Amino acid sequence: MLKAVLIALVAGIVAVAIFIMLAVKSSAELSYREAGEAEYNWQGAYAYCEAEGGRLPNILELTGLMYRDALSNKKNDYWSRTGMFGYAFGANTKSNILSFDRFGDIDHVVCVRG
């Protein structure tokens, strides 16, 4: 039983490490621009990025930006375009973890191109 738990734990750690490596690589060639201190709900963030000629990053790209320390608001959440059922994934720069927020919540925005 303990062996199976340890194998599952190691597999989980390896999967997270691979995800982060892929995320950093996927964000490396993106150009990005933050909306400054402005915060929007998910629909507002989506519209803001389109109006700026960009798009919200997908969750992989946003994770890469977070782990490359490219986001300037260090204690906040940022939206990704990866959403479902009235919720969207985001990145919490205070804890360096992914979040899952309601579309109506207010978070920071980074728009990407590339």
Side-chain angles (χ1 to χ4, degrees):
M1 172 75 171
L2 180 60
K3 183 177 179 179
V5 170
L6 289 174
I7 290 171
L9 181 62
V10 169
I13 291 169
V14 169
V16 168
I18 290 170
F19 178 81
I20 291 170
M21 286 180 358
L22 288 173
V24 169
K25 182 178 168 89
S26 75
S27 69
E29 296 183 20
L30 292 175
S31 62
Y32 60 94
R33 184 169 158 230
E34 294 185 54
E37 292 297 318
E39 295 179 290
Y40 298 90
N41 65 23
W42 188 78
Q43 290 89 348
Y46 203 95
Y48 173 84
C49 286
E50 284 187 343
E52 292 292 312
R55 61 178 171 78
L56 283 174
N58 64 40
I59 192 60
L60 193 63
E61 294 164 337
L62 183 61
T63 302
L65 291 171
M66 179 176 65
Y67 277 94
R68 286 180 38 227
D69 207 27
L71 303 173
S72 66
N73 292 304
K74 299 299 181 199
K75 295 185 179 184
N76 295 295
D77 287 334
Y78 283 84
W79 287 116
S80 81
R81 71 176 177 183
T82 310
M84 65 181 97
F85 309 115
Y87 289 83
F89 284 99
N92 180 298
T93 56
K94 181 178 182 179
S95 304
N96 282 339
I97 60 171
L98 300 180
S99 60
F100 198 58
D101 297 335
R102 294 175 296 140
F103 283 170
D105 290 352
I106 304 297
D107 289 336
H108 282 85
V109 178
V110 60
C111 304
V112 297
R113 289 188 188 121

